[in-house]
Amino acid sequence: PDRYAVIGNPIAHSKSPAIHAAFAEQTGQDIRYGRLLGDRDDFAGDVRRFFAEGGLGLNVTVPFKEEAWALADERSPRAEIAGAVNTLIRLDATRIRGDNTDGVGLVRDLGINHGFDFRARSVLLLGAGGASRGVLLPLLESGLARLRIANRTAAKAEDLAALGAAFGPVEGCGLDQLEGERFDLIINATSAGLSDAVPAIPETCLAPGGWTYDMLYGDVPTAFCRWGAAHQAARALDGLGMLVEQAAESFHLWRGIRPKTATVIKGLRRPG
Ligand code: ATR
């Protein structure tokens, strides 16, 4: 079978092997998809070894996405803007292409799986770290009317907005500058949820009928999903669908076949 893997550190809890195994079974592709614990001091060496031994593609996760960007011999435009690569593709014996499927995963989960219509909508993206930057270009290409990036450290949001400005209507500000604003969709790309916290945003910044989306996911509702539910979000979604959609896009890049995601998402949602 053709060999693929996900590389990260830590990696034991990655759901990617199960997701890709399900895609392979569904599409009848003969692949083997493993898990690699990357060496924090020699990520590039691990990658070169994997490809030298015949591997055809890698997914890259925390903390190596920026290093993967740097070592790719060529990059897609969306990866270029993201400054991070989550998918490596073997081109030939010496060249590796880097792509980033996170943003398209987010936009497809919202737009296709859940039917969110981005057109004419105002969207608030919380956070200005790697997670936000990773989804910037696909979000701006979703058809949305305006994107606001808000961050605890305002300057980082302004910098990220400046990076996106050539591709769509985007502005940056501090979390403390959202008073009186209303958004149809609020996406949480901060790491606050890792400590079960939510970014400090006004109680009123979700428009009536608006949606919330947490790029994080968990077995129990995330802090930001709970915030959405408590603030009458029409839908308060977590990032499990995005995880499966970004995997599907990687699978498509590698195999030329687009797997169906609905049953895979449902399977992961089941407890146990
Ligand atoms: P990631 O790659 O997950 O985006 P990161 O680059 O470290 O990680 O960025 C973390 C993001 O979460 C930042 O935007 C950070 O805000 P600052 O830039 O001001 O540090 C944001 N963040 C983390 N904890 C937060 C909290 N408790 N409230 C609001 N924002 C938070």
Side-chain angles (χ1 to χ4, degrees):
D2 292 339
R3 282 183 58 219
Y4 300 85
V6 58
I7 183 166
N9 189 332
I11 200 62
H13 296 289
S14 172
K15 295 182 192 292
S16 291
I19 294 170
H20 283 277
F23 289 165
E25 192 185 339
Q26 180 203 117
T27 58
Q29 294 283 301
D30 186 23
I31 70 166
R32 200 172 89 219
Y33 186 107
R35 220 182 227 113
L36 285 180
L37 179 66
D39 182 342
R40 285 175 188 264
D41 297 318
D42 190 23
F43 171 72
D46 286 343
V47 169
R48 296 289 169 202
R49 207 167 307 119
F50 177 81
F51 284 102
E53 288 169 359
L56 295 186
L58 283 174
N59 279 134
V60 181
T61 186
V62 180
F64 297 126
K65 290 184 186 183
E66 284 81 11
E67 278 185 78
W69 182 94
L71 71 70
D73 298 297
E74 64 170 57
R75 290 182 288 265
S76 67
R78 63 194 179 193
E80 196 62 35
I81 301 296
V85 152
N86 78 336
T87 307
L88 292 169
I89 306 152
R90 181 187 190 277
L91 291 177
D92 56 44
T94 59
R95 293 171 55 78
I96 299 169
R97 178 174 168 87
D99 205 335
N100 192 315
T101 64
D102 285 332
V104 83
L106 169 71
V107 170
R108 285 217 183 107
D109 189 39
L110 270 159
I112 297 176
N113 297 342
H114 297 287
F116 184 81
D117 184 359
F118 281 93
R119 285 169 304 173
R121 301 285 186 238
S122 63
V123 178
L124 173 61
L125 179 63
L126 299 172
S132 289
R133 187 170 168 188
V135 300
L136 184 58
L137 188 57
L139 259 187
L140 287 172
E141 290 175 340
S142 69
L144 52 68
R146 65 186 182 102
L147 179 66
R148 175 73 63 86
I149 304 170
N151 194 45
R152 193 168 55 182
T153 312
K156 279 171 65 181
E158 287 157 10
D159 288 350
L160 195 54
L163 188 68
F167 305 95
V170 55
E171 285 180 308
C173 71
L175 289 178
D176 54 2
Q177 293 169 295
L178 293 170
E179 212 57 61
E181 307 260 5
R182 291 283 178 286
F183 298 92
D184 302 306
L185 168 66
I186 305 179
I187 299 166
N188 178 37
T190 72
S191 52
L194 297 178
S195 38
D196 207 38
V198 296
I201 57 174
E203 301 286 333
T204 52
C205 68
L206 186 64
W211 294 26
T212 62
Y213 194 100
D214 195 349
M215 283 170 53
L216 209 64
Y217 57 87
D219 295 333
V220 296
T222 67
F224 193 69
C225 282
R226 300 197 309 270
W227 187 94
H231 292 80
Q232 287 76 49
R235 307 289 301 275
L237 303 168
D238 74 9
L240 188 68
M242 173 179 169
L243 174 77
V244 176
E245 289 297 333
Q246 63 79 26
E249 180 74 5
S250 295
F251 191 91
H252 180 248
L253 289 170
W254 291 327
R255 308 301 298 181
I257 295 179
R258 190 172 290 287
K260 293 199 173 68
T261 54
T263 55
V264 180
I265 295 171
K266 268 202 208 89
L268 290 173
R269 193 64 83 183
R270 263 199 316 265

